[in-house]
Amino acid sequence: MESSELKKIIQGIPKAELHLHIEGSFEPELLFDIAKRNNIFLSYDSIESLKNAYQFNNLQEFLDIYYAGAQVLLHEQDFFDLTWAYLTRVHSQNVVHVEVFFDPQTHTDRGIEFNVVIKGIYNALEKAKQELNISYKLIMSYLRHLSEEEAFKTLESSIPFKHWIDGVGLDSSEMGNPPSKFVNVFKASANQGYKLVAHAGEEGPVEYIWEALDLLKVVRIDHGNRCLDDEALVQRLVEQQIPLTLCPLSNTALKVIRKMEDHPVLKMLDKGILATIHSDDPAYFGGYMNENYYETALALNLDKSHLMQLATNAFKASWLSHEVKEKHIVQVKDYFNLTDI
Ligand code: ADE
Ligand code: ZN
């Protein structure tokens, strides 16, 4: 397929984004603007020099810069602007549904109140629902490099806003911070009615994926790249149709894989795994949904049926109601079958 044709096809697919850290959508231009209006001094003297720092050898090197960038976010308006910028951008890529992570502890640990963070994000999501026709779910993520006790404090802070929050996740430094560290807080989160997901098997071993499933009882695995190391795990993922939210540009940027041609998504689809493609931290990894689809399709020589499968899988894996999922899946099928592509 011609690359311009591939781009055109991808642009037109109605897409669902299920793995997106809102703090990871913080584009350098907006970061500089917000830093300026909040009178925060940045150690980078230009947008260009900040962008030049986006070279990572592993997850931790990225996280250090990502947490530093988030420090310029102080006010409700800042969180609103960050979220609104993301939503308008993905609207232009024909993303029609988003399930967005936010990291409350990245902000509450700096003295920013939980309510300031969530109100800004929530108001932008609501505005996008009204004005851009983008549906959404909101996922509060616990930082796994911190203690379970601190995650419990975050859970407590979330209770007044629980009608705005659909689920909880687990992110940050994976190695040495296994899912088993958070069994109690995940149980308590489920008791509050939150759905459960966790990052597992991004850098960490397959054991972390097993723990996320068996101990935390998550309904979806974020990343899960390492699952192919374990045939029994693959069988479990296939039998129970547990989704894996993969992020190809993140994986190359963080050296989880050496090059895009090594990405496991095609092997996963061939095995019957409910694999999906997302953008993780698009401002840092060189692309949003379309770019992730495009680079993956190019490197792995994906055809239209793969693209249709990936788009369909994302709606299947979403937390939309059965009826709404079906409506989107029909639209994806119609797009591929009825339009001249
Ligand atoms: N937080 C933001 N992006 C992340 C990633 N790719 N892995 C773990 N934690 C994250
Ligand atoms: Zn992630």
Side-chain angles (χ1 to χ4, degrees):
M1 212 184 303
E2 280 261 332
S3 76
S4 62
E5 194 199 350
L6 179 60
K7 276 190 184 155
K8 205 168 125 213
I9 291 171
I10 290 169
Q11 167 64 31
I13 306 171
K15 289 171 288 282
E17 167 69 279
L18 308 180
H19 185 159
L20 178 278
H21 303 267
I22 199 64
E23 295 88 349
S25 72
F26 206 0
E27 290 289 342
E29 290 77 7
L30 183 61
L31 197 155
F32 263 74
D33 280 354
I34 293 183
K36 193 168 169 202
R37 78 185 185 209
N38 287 343
N39 289 317
I40 293 174
F41 173 79
L42 293 174
S43 47
Y44 300 93
D45 57 8
S46 68
I47 291 169
E48 223 36 57
S49 67
L50 177 59
K51 283 184 184 168
N52 287 338
Y54 293 178
Q55 313 262 1
F56 316 109
N57 291 304
N58 53 46
L59 174 58
Q60 194 58 52
E61 287 186 10
F62 155 68
L63 290 170
D64 292 343
I65 285 197
Y66 161 89
Y67 293 131
Q71 290 193 15
V72 310
L73 299 162
L74 302 184
H75 308 295
E76 186 180 319
Q77 186 69 44
D78 304 338
F79 291 93
F80 177 91
D81 290 348
L82 170 69
T83 310
W84 183 246
Y86 165 71
L87 291 163
T88 51
R89 183 138 186 183
V90 296
H91 179 59
S92 74
Q93 295 201 344
N94 206 19
V95 172
V96 296
H97 177 67
V98 296
E99 303 195 355
V100 172
F101 287 113
F102 73 117
D103 288 345
Q105 289 157 296
T106 300
H107 315 296
T108 53
D109 274 13
R110 307 180 280 120
I112 313 296
E113 287 182 23
F114 188 97
N115 78 82
V116 167
V117 179
I118 195 164
K119 281 182 187 160
I121 296 172
Y122 173 79
N123 286 330
L125 289 167
E126 272 296 304
K127 185 176 160 82
K129 189 164 121 185
Q130 306 299 333
E131 296 180 13
L132 307 177
N133 204 22
I134 295 178
S135 55
Y136 72 88
K137 306 285 175 189
L138 185 55
I139 311 174
M140 171 175 84
S141 219
Y142 300 124
L143 297 184
R144 70 201 307 158
H145 67 275
L146 301 177
S147 67
E148 185 176 54
E149 196 187 334
E150 285 171 280
F152 264 110
K153 284 189 206 144
T154 303
L155 173 59
E156 187 85 357
S157 306
S158 77
I159 304 300
F161 302 97
K162 85 178 195 190
H163 49 296
W164 290 354
I165 301 170
D166 299 278
V168 302
L170 185 66
D171 64 6
S172 193
S173 321
E174 188 180 13
M175 296 301 274
N177 296 298
S180 52
K181 185 175 156 186
F182 295 92
V183 170
N184 298 311
V185 76
F186 265 64
K187 205 176 208 178
S189 303
N191 288 340
Q192 290 296 337
Y194 293 143
K195 292 187 170 66
L196 310 174
V197 295
H199 284 52
E202 180 184 13
E203 281 186 344
V206 284
E207 286 74 22
Y208 286 17
I209 305 177
W210 283 110
E211 284 188 13
L213 295 173
D214 291 337
L215 304 182
L216 301 188
K217 308 203 179 301
V218 300
V219 295
R220 230 161 47 197
I221 297 283
D222 296 308
H223 296 294
N225 291 51
R226 299 287 299 275
C227 76
L228 296 179
D229 295 353
D230 183 335
E231 208 30 65
L233 178 58
V234 169
Q235 209 178 328
R236 165 90 175 269
L237 295 171
V238 172
E239 268 171 26
Q240 299 187 355
Q241 286 294 283
I242 296 160
L244 300 186
T245 64
L246 303 166
C247 304
L249 283 173
S250 165
N251 294 155
T252 49
L254 302 185
K255 316 272 192 293
V256 167
I257 52 173
R258 256 185 53 247
K259 54 187 194 312
M260 196 58 95
E261 286 74 10
D262 297 338
H263 201 277
V265 63
L266 187 52
K267 282 195 195 104
M268 289 173 176
L269 290 179
D270 287 345
K271 285 178 183 285
I273 292 174
L274 191 74
T276 62
I277 283 188
H278 308 291
S279 65
D280 211 4
D281 302 285
Y284 293 89
F285 301 149
Y288 288 72
M289 285 289 282
N290 282 357
E291 292 78 15
N292 271 279
Y293 267 74
Y294 177 75
E295 294 297 336
T296 313
L298 208 59
L300 301 179
N301 212 4
L302 301 185
D303 61 25
K304 287 173 194 166
S305 72
H306 295 126
L307 296 174
M308 184 162 94
Q309 184 74 60
L310 286 165
T312 303
N313 283 357
F315 288 109
K316 272 191 196 160
S318 76
W319 292 344
L320 290 163
S321 70
H322 179 72
E323 292 72 29
V324 179
K325 278 185 194 188
E326 282 304 308
K327 188 193 83 184
H328 285 299
I329 290 168
V330 167
Q331 281 170 353
V332 170
K333 284 212 177 82
D334 285 351
Y335 173 69
F336 280 95
N337 293 336
L338 304 179
T339 49
D340 186 24
I341 55 171

